[in-house]
Amino acid sequence: MALHHFHLKADWPGGRNEVGYIESEKLKTKISIPKEMDGPDIGTNPDEMLLGAAATCYIISLAAMIERAELPLKEMDMQSEGIVDVTDGVFTYQKIIHRPRVVLRAEAVEKDLSKLNRLVDKAEKSCMISKAIQGNVELEMEADTSIAK
């Protein structure tokens, strides 16, 4: 078994509407509460970071599966949306919606597209971030898959 350790340092100067800073090996940014939650909206925030973790984990997992399956990938991109519910002052990260767009090269056949559609769903279930938030945050997939003309 291999254990991988990731480290992050956070500095926070004071109250709720201050601006802090986080730093890890490859991530260095200011942090604050977003404007939607009446914060100063400087740098990033936990809501964006959770969405970013879920989205990057998913798209990297999908890319690896497409590569292993030797599907003729032409292009792939994705939009993701995080939905936070605020009820009676309680913030709950309710849902993440991934909208991947995956296009196979023109030489692909229907069998390839069918396999791609299975991988689109499988990648969400195998991504470690998806597994970590499972049962707490609903995950939804709205995929657009096709073969190039």
Side-chain angles (χ1 to χ4, degrees), residues 75-123:
E75 59 190 33
M76 175 169 58
D77 57 48
M78 185 171 75
Q79 299 285 320
S80 291
E81 178 181 358
I83 300 170
V84 175
D85 174 57
V86 183
T87 302
D88 297 328
V90 177
F91 295 78
T92 304
Y93 214 114
Q94 191 174 62
K95 181 192 289 192
I96 291 175
I97 305 166
H98 293 311
R99 296 180 179 99
R101 186 185 67 85
V102 186
V103 181
L104 298 178
R105 291 191 305 263
E107 68 263 22
V109 295
E110 281 301 316
K111 183 179 175 184
D112 293 329
L113 187 59
S114 179
K115 182 180 249 183
L116 173 62
N117 288 327
R118 286 193 304 276
L119 294 179
V120 162
D121 290 330
K122 185 177 181 183

Side-chain angles (χ1 to χ4, degrees), residues 3-59:
L3 296 176
H4 303 279
H5 296 257
F6 298 91
H7 302 275
L8 182 135
K9 181 180 183 310
D11 289 315
W12 192 260
R16 179 190 188 279
N17 285 327
E18 298 291 337
V19 177
Y21 186 79
I22 58 171
E23 181 174 338
S24 62
E25 185 177 341
K26 294 180 177 67
L27 174 65
K28 297 165 181 35
T29 187
K30 292 180 179 179
I31 56 171
S32 70
I33 295 173
K35 68 178 177 269
E36 296 85 355
M37 298 173 184
D38 299 321
D41 201 38
I42 296 172
T44 191
N45 58 70
D47 310 283
E48 285 182 339
M49 290 179 62
L50 181 59
L51 181 60
T56 55
C57 183
Y58 172 79
I59 202 161

Side-chain angles (χ1 to χ4, degrees), residues 55-74:
T56 55
C57 183
Y58 172 79
I59 202 161
I60 291 169
S61 297
L62 179 57
M65 290 178 173
I66 289 170
E67 184 178 90
R68 281 193 300 272
E70 298 180 349
L71 291 175
L73 179 65
K74 180 179 181 199

